[in-house]
């Protein structure tokens, strides 16, 4: 297979015309990657007027004059000996390119359906039942009361949205290559985020946008550039077409919250980067999100919860150390290698002093029954890692967990939250950090392995697992199969949540009553 690379602009002062470099690759799937891009299997096509009159062959179909000559060994050696040009490199992998273009099986829904409503947001959804393409559309409206309270607020919201787009420029090219498009625009009541394109990797882009919003920091140099651009935009209002000006004044009369652009232009010179830094948290603090999602979207999800013990210092640190060691391998195997879902995490869970761990996977590619099996398969392979872990690696993980516990509270609110949890649950172990550090310092690798074998591994004698499965429409056939499948030995299918809950024994509350189900 031949791969072509255009290098027209690399050496413009040396090469006249157009140059194409082609490497003869041995496999369609490029098993050896960059190793096959070598001078020994390269063909160079050089097109230029400077060769006119110096060719000795003619192409028979179009009559194009050309010459061919073999690249000499000495020339290849000269290339190899030359210093590499830093401008030549392979492009980074494009995380936005979709690989799953399948169409989700959707119910016939004529109008958008309200899936969720809370004091913070609403979520509307409509599946694609008309166009049948592997694409989705997402619109999220941030309704922010503080965004239009004054001319300063209107201008700062405008600068904020343009700075966000500026910060996202690093992703723009890769997203557009993958036909994913996004926009952030200010509105009369805040701003809107819009994404459209292939649904498979759209979530990655959406999370990148939200990360930029959540971690927004004002870059002074970029603020100055955007401020100048916004100033010119307001100054150009007076040069609009007459009908545009008429529409503007019509809106000014009819819309209660609209403000004259002259007011905004007047306050612009006095606004600084620090004003925006103070304004954005205040604006977002009262935001209400109205969300609309349409297209080829349907997820399934799994929560695989392993309940271990009631609050105990030594068992606590064993569970914490297991979670610390297993977290990255679980993400690598289930997310990176098997690509089961973009949301893939292993977390500790604590319900009123009842401790456990949970695997959370949300997927468009596999149903929850399949994912459950893959979680158990991961635990089987992780067992080998525990047995083969060098002692220095074990000690390093123990020290990492100790360092985490030695971190001081950052402020009064954080300290109060720590002690209040002890009071609210009734554990009253105010010396928890010191006691768990002491337990960690006594912990051996064999004790951690024994803990894993007793409570976590597949088939462990004391293991108690709860599997919660949510089936998207695209995995409805798997749901039917799982429902009709016989229950595995030592397992219970929960048909009635409240009947099951009443049938189970309860842990005793630290405050003297019974309050949490023992699996």
């Amino acid at each position: 297979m031949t791969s072509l690379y255009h290098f027209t602009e690399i050496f413009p002062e040396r090469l006249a015309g157009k140059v194409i470099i082609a490497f003869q690759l041995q496999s369609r799937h490029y098993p050896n990657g960059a190793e096959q891009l070598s001078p020994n299997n390269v063909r160079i096509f050089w097109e230029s007027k400077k060769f006119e009159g110096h060719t000795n062959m003619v192409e028979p179909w179009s009559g194009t004059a050309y010459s061919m000559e073999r690249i000499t060994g000495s020339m290849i050696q000269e290339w190899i000996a030359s210093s590499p040009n830093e401008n030549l490199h392979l492009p980074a992998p494009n995380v936005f390119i979709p690989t799953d273009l399948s169409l989700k099986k959707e119910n016939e829904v004529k109008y958008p359906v309200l899936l969720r409503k809370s004091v913070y947001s609403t979520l509307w959804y409509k599946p694609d039942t008309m166009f049948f393409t592997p694409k989705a559309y997402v619109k999220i409206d941030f309704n922010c009361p503080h965004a239009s309270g004054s001319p300063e607020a209107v201008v700062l919201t405008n600068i904020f949205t343009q700075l966000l787009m500026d910060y996202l420029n690093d992703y723009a090219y890769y997203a557009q290559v993958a036909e994913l498009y996004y926009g952030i625009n200010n509105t009369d009541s805040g701003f809107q985020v819009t994404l459209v394109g292939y649904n498979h990797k759209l979530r990655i882009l959406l999370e990148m946008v939200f990360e930029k919003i959540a971690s927004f920091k004002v870059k002074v140099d970029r603020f100055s550039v955007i401020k100048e651009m916004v100033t010119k935009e307001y100054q150009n209002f007076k040069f609009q077409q007459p009908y545009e000006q008429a529409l503007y004044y019509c809106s000014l009369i009819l819309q209660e919250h609209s403000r004259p652009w002259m007011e905004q232009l007047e306050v612009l010179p006095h606004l600084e980067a620090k004003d925006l830094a103070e304004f954005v948290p205040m604006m977002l603090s009262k935001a209400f999100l109205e969300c609309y999602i349409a297209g080829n979207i349907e997820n399934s999800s799994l929560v695989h919860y392993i309940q271990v013990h009631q609050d105990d210092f030594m068992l606590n640190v064993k569970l914490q150390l297991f979670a610390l060691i297993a977290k990255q391998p679980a993400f690598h195997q289930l997310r990176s290698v098997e690509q089961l879902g973009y949301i893939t995490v292993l977390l500790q869970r604590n319900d009123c002093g009842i401790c456990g761990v949970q695997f959370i996977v949300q997927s468009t590619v596999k149903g929850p029954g399949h994912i459950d099996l893959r979680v158990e398969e991961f635990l089987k392979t992780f067992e080998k890692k525990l047995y083969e872990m060098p002692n220095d690696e074990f000690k390093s993980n123990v020290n990492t967990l100790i360092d985490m516990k030695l971190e001081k509270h950052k402020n009064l609110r954080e300290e109060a939250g720590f002690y209040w949890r002890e009071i609210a649950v009734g554990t009253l172990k105010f010396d928890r950090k010191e006691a768990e550090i002491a337990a960690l310092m006594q912990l051996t690798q064999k004790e951690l392995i024994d803990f894993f074998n007793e409570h976590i591994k597949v088939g462990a004698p004391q293991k108690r697992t709860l599997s919660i499965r949510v089936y998207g429409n695209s995995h409805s056939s798997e749901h039917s199969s799982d429902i009709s499948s016989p229950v595995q030995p030592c397992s219970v299918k929960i048909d009635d949540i409240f009947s099951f809950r009443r049938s189970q024994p309860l842990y005793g509350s630290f405050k003297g009553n019974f309050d949490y189900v023992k699996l």
Side-chain angles (χ1 to χ4, degrees):
M1 180 177 180
T2 299
S3 181
L4 302 180
Y5 296 82
H6 293 261
F7 286 89
T8 309
E9 303 299 328
I10 294 178
F11 305 111
E13 73 283 357
R14 296 176 59 186
L15 303 177
K18 181 172 68 175
V19 175
I20 298 176
I21 298 179
F23 293 94
Q24 197 72 25
L25 304 179
Q26 302 302 315
S27 168
R28 176 177 295 274
H29 301 289
Y30 309 97
N32 297 321
E35 288 85 349
Q36 294 196 28
L37 307 182
S38 72
N40 295 316
N41 61 355
V42 68
R43 292 182 180 181
I44 300 176
F45 300 83
W46 188 352
E47 177 184 325
S48 174
K49 290 185 178 180
K50 67 178 291 184
F51 298 122
E52 191 171 348
H54 300 282
T55 58
N56 57 9
M57 302 176 74
V58 176
E59 192 272 328
W61 291 276
S62 59
T64 303
Y66 71 99
S67 291
M68 291 179 61
E69 61 181 84
R70 185 175 296 278
I71 300 174
T72 64
S74 59
M75 185 174 293
I76 291 177
Q77 291 302 316
E78 184 180 344
W79 291 344
I80 294 175
S82 300
S83 299
N85 189 321
E86 294 181 355
N87 294 323
L88 298 178
H89 61 86
L90 294 175
N94 189 341
V95 297
F96 300 120
I97 294 178
T99 56
D100 179 9
L101 301 179
S102 61
L103 297 180
K104 316 303 178 189
K105 295 179 181 179
E106 303 287 2
N107 297 326
E108 287 295 328
V109 177
K110 187 175 182 179
Y111 301 113
V113 177
L114 182 61
L115 292 185
R116 183 183 302 163
K117 184 177 182 179
S118 73
V119 295
Y120 304 108
S121 65
T122 58
L123 173 60
W124 295 88
Y125 168 64
K126 184 185 181 302
D128 176 15
T129 56
M130 180 177 292
F131 305 104
F132 304 106
T133 60
K135 295 186 177 182
Y137 178 93
V138 175
K139 170 80 76 176
I140 302 175
D141 181 80
F142 287 73
N143 192 310
C144 308
H146 294 306
S148 56
S150 66
E152 291 84 356
V154 173
V155 174
L156 289 172
T157 302
N158 189 356
I159 295 176
F160 166 72
T161 58
Q162 296 201 39
L163 267 178
L164 272 180
M165 287 293 289
D166 186 72
Y167 294 171
L168 287 164
N169 275 341
D170 289 345
Y171 311 122
Y173 171 76
Y174 294 101
Q176 290 174 11
V177 167
E179 294 193 30
L180 275 177
Y181 304 96
Y182 63 90
I184 303 175
N185 305 289
N186 62 303
T187 65
D188 291 338
S189 58
F191 64 99
Q192 289 182 345
V193 174
T194 306
L195 295 92
V196 62
Y198 287 105
N199 59 275
H200 186 211
K201 301 297 181 68
L202 185 143
R203 185 187 186 94
I204 299 177
L205 179 59
L206 179 60
E207 294 202 356
M208 288 178 173
V209 172
F210 266 80
E211 191 278 330
K212 291 294 183 184
I213 295 173
S215 62
F216 182 82
K217 302 292 182 186
V218 182
K219 300 176 182 178
V220 177
D221 57 335
R222 299 309 300 163
F223 173 87
S224 301
V225 172
I226 298 299
K227 177 182 175 180
E228 183 178 350
M229 292 171 55
V230 171
T231 301
K232 291 179 180 178
E233 289 175 3
Y234 283 118
Q235 290 172 339
N236 288 335
F237 275 5
K238 59 188 175 185
F239 301 117
Q240 287 182 329
Q241 294 279 355
Y243 79 90
E244 292 176 316
Q245 296 192 32
L247 289 173
Y248 161 72
Y249 285 109
C250 185
S251 299
L252 201 60
I253 293 169
L254 298 177
Q255 298 176 5
E256 181 182 1
H257 298 292
S258 59
R259 293 179 176 276
W261 62 266
M262 297 83 74
E263 290 184 1
Q264 295 152 39
L265 185 59
E266 287 174 3
V267 302
L268 250 170
H270 310 294
L271 296 176
E272 303 296 338
K274 64 179 180 61
D275 298 313
L276 182 61
E278 295 171 356
F279 170 76
V280 170
M282 179 183 68
M283 176 185 70
L284 295 176
S285 68
K286 298 293 183 180
F288 179 86
L289 276 61
E290 189 96 36
C291 311
Y292 176 72
I293 299 176
N296 193 47
I297 299 291
E298 192 64 61
N299 285 336
S300 293
S301 62
L302 167 80
V303 171
H304 183 104
Y305 167 62
I306 303 173
Q307 188 184 79
V308 181
H309 65 283
Q310 193 168 27
D311 190 47
D312 174 272
F313 288 142
M314 182 56 77
L315 287 174
N316 289 350
V317 297
K318 290 177 181 179
L319 182 66
Q320 292 163 12
L321 190 58
F322 160 74
L324 177 68
I325 297 172
K327 183 176 182 178
Q328 194 282 330
F331 178 87
H332 174 71
Q333 180 62 34
L334 302 177
R335 168 69 177 89
S336 302
V337 177
E338 300 187 31
Q339 297 188 355
L340 295 179
Y342 187 70
I343 296 180
T344 302
V345 292
L346 187 159
L347 297 173
Q348 297 178 65
R349 179 170 180 141
N350 188 318
D351 297 273
C352 297
I354 313 305
C355 302
V357 290
Q358 56 189 1
F359 293 81
I360 303 173
V361 182
Q362 181 166 293
S363 177
T364 59
V365 296
K366 296 294 183 182
H370 175 87
I371 297 171
D372 215 356
L373 294 175
R374 299 314 304 162
V375 169
E376 293 201 339
E377 189 61 33
F378 165 75
L379 290 174
K380 292 177 183 177
T381 59
F382 183 78
E383 181 180 357
K384 182 180 179 183
K385 174 179 174 63
L386 273 185
Y387 276 100
E388 297 179 352
M389 179 183 295
N391 187 60
D392 58 346
E393 183 179 342
F394 171 78
K395 290 293 185 183
S396 175
N397 283 297
V398 169
N399 291 334
T400 297
L401 189 53
I402 290 175
D403 289 342
M404 293 167 62
K405 293 181 179 297
L406 286 173
E407 289 182 4
K408 295 182 178 180
H409 296 298
K410 298 180 179 63
N411 48 53
L412 182 61
R413 179 190 296 269
E414 189 174 293
E415 181 194 62
F418 173 82
Y419 291 125
W420 175 250
R421 282 190 293 273
E422 297 292 333
I423 295 171
V425 174
T427 47
L428 303 179
K429 294 176 179 176
F430 300 127
D431 62 342
R432 178 175 300 276
K433 288 188 176 183
E434 294 82 359
E436 290 185 349
I437 289 174
L440 269 173
M441 296 179 73
Q442 299 174 16
L443 184 65
T444 67
Q445 187 168 352
K446 181 181 183 303
E447 289 175 321
L448 179 63
I449 293 172
D450 291 342
F451 168 81
F452 177 84
N453 291 338
E454 186 76 8
H455 298 280
I456 305 294
K457 71 178 288 186
V458 177
Q462 298 297 322
K463 186 170 184 178
R464 301 188 295 272
T465 304
L466 180 64
S467 177
I468 305 294
R469 304 176 183 182
V470 177
Y471 294 80
N473 284 344
S474 58
H475 301 126
S476 57
S477 60
E478 182 182 312
H479 174 259
S480 301
S481 174
D482 288 351
I483 287 294
S484 60
S485 299
V487 178
Q488 297 296 316
C490 302
S491 298
V492 174
K493 184 181 293 183
I494 303 175
D495 297 313
D496 186 323
I497 292 175
F498 301 105
S499 296
F500 171 79
R501 199 167 69 184
R502 287 192 296 268
S503 71
Q504 296 301 108
L506 297 176
Y507 282 102
S509 165
F510 292 100
K511 288 192 170 183
N513 57 336
F514 298 93
D515 69 347
Y516 195 74
V517 171
K518 186 172 185 178
L519 296 178

